Amino acid sequence: MEGQDLFSNLPEGCISHILSLTSPPDVCRSSAVCSIFRSASESDIIWERFLPSDHPDILNRSVSPLHLSSKKELFFGLLDPILIDEGKMSFSIERQTGRKCFMLSPRQLWIAWGGTQRIGSGFLFLNQGSQRWQSS
């Protein structure tokens, strides 16, 4: 067994499945370990799992279409916010967890102040993974 690469005996699909059970940073780190991990880390099977299940709907709502050739490119492309819903909202994926993040335009918010409604200033962030609102 000494000096033998045990992973080279596994089919690439099996390694892709194993990597898909980790996180995006773990897949990137694993790709530096050996050539079979690097090859498996390019698989759409892995990156499809890290994308939100409703990503086709979100992409259809995008102001500017994204032209990417793989699920990996799409994942990394969505780490930076894209405008959706006629520019009234932005969407991105959280780098470490792959959770969905939305940012609402101030014009989308109505805040009641003493019985009157005013448009809030600043931005409101919703991280769906943690279900928490952050105001800035």
Side-chain angles (χ1 to χ4, degrees):
M1 287 283 168
E2 191 173 313
Q4 184 179 0
D5 180 8
L6 298 176
F7 289 109
S8 62
N9 295 330
L10 293 174
E12 187 175 306
C14 180
I15 293 173
S16 294
H17 178 72
I18 292 167
L19 290 176
S20 74
L21 300 174
T22 64
S23 67
D26 288 338
V27 171
C28 293
R29 284 186 210 107
S30 298
S31 70
V33 172
C34 66
S35 60
I36 193 150
F37 277 28
R38 186 171 28 262
S39 177
S41 73
E42 297 296 321
S43 170
D44 277 349
I45 294 169
I46 293 174
W47 298 100
E48 178 77 30
R49 183 171 165 93
F50 296 140
L51 290 168
S53 59
D54 61 343
H55 75 273
D57 176 54
I58 292 169
L59 293 175
N60 286 336
R61 294 164 46 195
S62 176
V63 172
S64 302
L66 293 175
H67 302 288
L68 302 166
S69 62
S70 70
K71 299 295 183 185
K72 181 179 180 180
E73 284 184 19
L74 178 59
F75 179 86
F76 283 103
L78 290 175
L79 293 178
D80 295 322
I82 61 167
L83 290 175
I84 59 173
D85 297 343
E86 300 172 356
K88 296 176 184 171
M89 188 182 299
S90 74
F91 171 80
S92 64
I93 294 177
E94 192 177 62
R95 183 175 301 275
Q96 293 295 319
T97 64
R99 292 180 178 161
K100 298 188 287 188
C101 298
F102 292 93
M103 183 170 58
L104 305 174
S105 160
R107 298 204 186 274
Q108 292 292 99
L109 303 174
W110 289 92
I111 301 173
W113 296 84
T116 63
Q117 289 189 342
R118 295 187 200 169
I119 296 175
S121 62
F123 292 93
L124 193 63
F125 301 93
L126 169 63
N127 179 327
Q128 281 192 323
S130 64
Q131 297 297 321
R132 95 184 142 197
W133 293 89
Q134 299 172 340
S135 180
S136 66

